[in-house]
Amino acid sequence: MKTKLTRQLESTLYQYCLEQGSYVVEEVSMPDKKGIVDTLSYQQLPDGQIEWRCYELKVTKSDFHSKAKLSFIGNYNYFILPQALYTEVADEIPEHIGVLIYRAFDKQAVALATEPLRAPGFLTVAKKAQHQDLQVDEAALTSHFVASLFREVDKAKRVKKGLQLYSDDQLYKELKKRGQVGYDVYDPDHNLYDRFVDELQHDAVTALQAELDARNAEYQALQLKYQALLAPNLEDRL
């Protein structure tokens, strides 16, 4: 599971890359079994050349010393670190690897902002990355990049469409499976089926009440109109 700080770094880096004019995607598997990079960006330069940048996000010292492979195969490669961690590990960072420092926006400044902020903080360059030749075949890397972009688009479409993607039979099987785990007759508020039925009943009662209120209002309006029509006739009789 990603920590809150990791998600903040990820969100801020994504916005940073967009502002640089790059296409960006997280968690891209590298060709030739060179691991998975946290974030990979693709940028076309004015001369038509393609520039690849790899970013590894670290939030703790143990995370920095993890045995997971660092996929620094890009033309420029960076660590994304909080200031405190950078102070601890600065001497361990290879010369050709750059560092971007994450700083969260001040809460008071956020509260006073006239527009919603697109990221929870900002990045500053603490150490410039040195250029290197791409360490993998570019065509293979492009293929992996596109595949990761498709994964994110597919994920977003699934979230947007929600349960529409599933057949009634699939939904029934999932409900049945979940109903077999942790069903407590003594605590119905925590049971999926009971919650579902209660909400259906509540929605049905609410809908019927709204319809009844509308019909009563319509009846009252007709009654007033009828009384208004009768009033002149009554006056003539008197």
Side-chain angles (χ1 to χ4, degrees):
M1 293 291 291
K2 296 179 181 179
T3 65
K4 180 180 179 180
L5 180 56
T6 299
R7 293 194 299 271
Q8 290 174 339
L9 265 67
E10 189 175 79
S11 175
T12 303
L13 175 59
Y14 186 85
Q15 186 61 36
Y16 174 87
C17 290
L18 292 183
E19 291 172 357
Q20 302 300 311
S22 301
Y23 300 111
V24 58
V25 67
E26 290 93 7
E27 298 178 5
V28 182
S29 60
M30 298 289 100
D32 304 328
K33 298 181 179 180
K34 290 189 177 293
I36 299 176
V37 69
D38 287 339
T39 299
L40 177 65
S41 76
Y42 165 108
Q43 185 172 18
Q44 186 168 6
L45 303 178
D47 61 3
Q49 296 293 314
I50 303 301
E51 188 174 271
W52 296 93
R53 294 176 182 256
C54 294
Y55 302 90
E56 293 285 354
L57 287 64
K58 305 295 181 182
V59 296
T60 64
K61 196 169 184 178
S62 60
D63 187 21
F64 182 85
H65 291 140
S66 169
K67 294 181 180 179
K69 185 180 295 184
L70 295 173
S71 301
F72 284 141
I73 55 83
N75 301 121
Y76 294 93
N77 304 278
Y78 292 88
F79 278 115
I80 312 298
L81 309 172
Q83 177 65 58
L85 179 58
Y86 177 55
T87 302
E88 291 186 74
V89 302
D91 294 339
E92 302 178 50
I93 297 173
E95 184 178 353
H96 67 291
I97 303 299
V99 178
L100 295 177
I101 297 298
Y102 169 77
R103 292 181 175 85
F105 287 123
D106 179 78
K107 291 183 179 180
Q108 185 175 1
V110 173
L112 295 174
T114 56
E115 295 182 3
L117 299 176
R118 297 185 178 182
F122 61 98
L123 299 174
T124 56
V125 179
K127 182 173 177 288
K128 290 186 177 181
Q130 298 179 12
H131 183 274
Q132 69 174 18
D133 292 334
L134 197 62
Q135 303 296 297
V136 295
D137 177 71
E138 186 165 23
L141 182 60
T142 301
S143 177
H144 283 238
F145 185 79
V146 171
S148 297
L149 284 175
F150 171 76
R151 179 200 67 213
E152 294 303 307
V153 170
D154 184 58
K155 187 190 302 182
K157 285 184 175 292
R158 287 177 179 273
V159 170
K160 185 175 181 180
K161 291 182 178 179
L163 298 178
Q164 296 177 21
L165 295 172
Y166 301 92
S167 67
D168 291 344
D169 186 55
Q170 287 176 307
L171 289 173
Y172 175 76
K173 288 180 179 178
E174 182 63 27
L175 286 170
K176 187 175 181 181
K177 181 173 66 177
R178 294 193 182 192
Q180 293 172 350
V181 180
Y183 191 91
D184 187 355
V185 295
Y186 300 106
D187 194 5
D189 291 339
H190 291 81
N191 294 329
L192 180 62
Y193 294 129
D194 292 334
R195 286 169 49 199
F196 181 67
V197 170
D198 287 344
E199 287 185 15
L200 279 180
Q201 291 177 339
H202 177 269
D203 291 344
V205 170
T206 301
L208 289 171
Q209 185 62 53
E211 183 178 354
L212 179 61
D213 291 342
R215 289 185 179 277
N216 284 334
E218 184 179 355
Y219 172 76
Q220 293 294 333
L222 289 173
Q223 192 175 38
L224 290 173
K225 185 176 181 180
Y226 179 71
Q227 290 175 351
L229 291 172
L230 289 177
N233 294 332
L234 289 174
E235 290 178 359
D236 292 340
R237 291 179 182 179
L238 294 174

